[in-house]
Amino acid sequence: MKFSINRDALLKPLHMISGIVERKQTSSILSNVLLKIDGSTLLLTGTDSEIELIGSINILEVFQPGSTTLSARKLFEICKSLPENNEILITEEKDSVVLSSGNATFKLLTIAPEKFPSIEDEPDSLYLTIEQQTLKRLIESTSFSMSNQDIRLYLNAMLFEITCNKLQTVAIDGHRMAIANTAIDIADPDTFFQFIMPRKGVFGLSRLVTQNNNNQITLTLNKKHIRAKTDDFIFTSALIDCRFPVYDRAIPKNIDKIVVIEKEAFRNALNRVAILSYEKNKKVLLLIEKDKITLTSKNPENEKATEILPIQYGGLEIKVNFNVHYLLNVLNVITGHSVNLEFGMPDNGVIMRDDTDQSAVYVIMPINL
């Protein structure tokens, strides 16, 4: 194998693949990236055996086709260190690859491409297309509510639900829940399909799509995998085979108290009172009265922070404790001017949502101390 390629063209897919490939692997081949020439295109593949990313790049000139694997991290670091727009000549030798660019030369060891694992194809059950920026919004609106390293696999994951021409994402960690949805076009409006994507797959898919890109991304699904295709990448993730909780049961019922508060003022005040909150539980007390809310935090050193904000509310007093970071996570993804805090029984938690956008809903449970 021998070819030349532009450094900048190679850098972007290598950066994406480096997010998939981990340095510490049980098998050395999983630390490598597969390079394969297909006509005038270079295909780069990285995998951890559950997630796979394939990037395609136009080659400047092909001298000899072929395929090989080498360290993804080292190849990325070498490319990153070279000057912009440099041409790189890649030449395969017996058990190594030589990279030449300008006056610099690098020799890297290879592993035979036949040892590189691939995710087997399965018959597809569902096919849909969605704008990249829409999918990005769904993921970012809910991913912060996923748990990390919980023994219950569904908490370290995100539920994707397709029903009634709607795509919905749901994430829960036992203390909070985030739900977001968007309308989609699907051939059969009666389709009902659920799949659970692991945390690493969710963030891998999020890196693939961009916020300000209205280009389409194609999703194909089966019982074991989801595959996402853009113009330059093919991303595949294994799915989790487990039962997701009936999430709508966690949404508080009998809402009879609605507080409307300006989002930025609320967020800034929470950031300030969080400075003196107890590090162990990051508790902040919300005292809600007619037309005002008082935020209070304390710590074991008897330090205290208090701030009062105006609100739109005329009901009975509400006094409830929350983890301040959970409130801030929601406020950081809401884009509107005001946020609603909706209560039934305070012990059942609070519903938070954008005052003018009903496509996302957030539930946060109180700290009962």
Side-chain angles (χ1 to χ4, degrees), residues 287-294 311 313-318:
L287 174 59
I288 300 168
E289 302 170 282
K290 185 178 184 299
D291 296 331
K292 71 175 183 178
I293 183 171
T294 304
I311 58 174
Y313 180 68
L316 298 175
E317 177 186 291
I318 304 170

Side-chain angles (χ1 to χ4, degrees), residues 323-337:
N323 181 308
V324 67
H325 288 321
Y326 292 173
L327 298 172
L328 287 168
N329 287 154
V330 174
L331 296 173
N332 287 337
V333 297
I334 285 178
T335 58
H337 178 266

Side-chain angles (χ1 to χ4, degrees), residues 237-253:
S237 172
L239 302 177
I240 296 178
D241 183 15
C242 67
R243 193 178 189 88
F244 202 83
V246 183
Y247 58 87
D248 54 0
R249 290 179 182 172
I251 301 175
K253 306 298 190 294

Side-chain angles (χ1 to χ4, degrees), residues 136-149:
K136 182 81 168 181
R137 178 186 63 80
L138 284 178
I139 293 174
E140 291 191 343
S141 294
T142 51
S143 58
F144 61 84
S145 285
M146 290 187 295
S147 188
N148 189 17
Q149 298 181 333

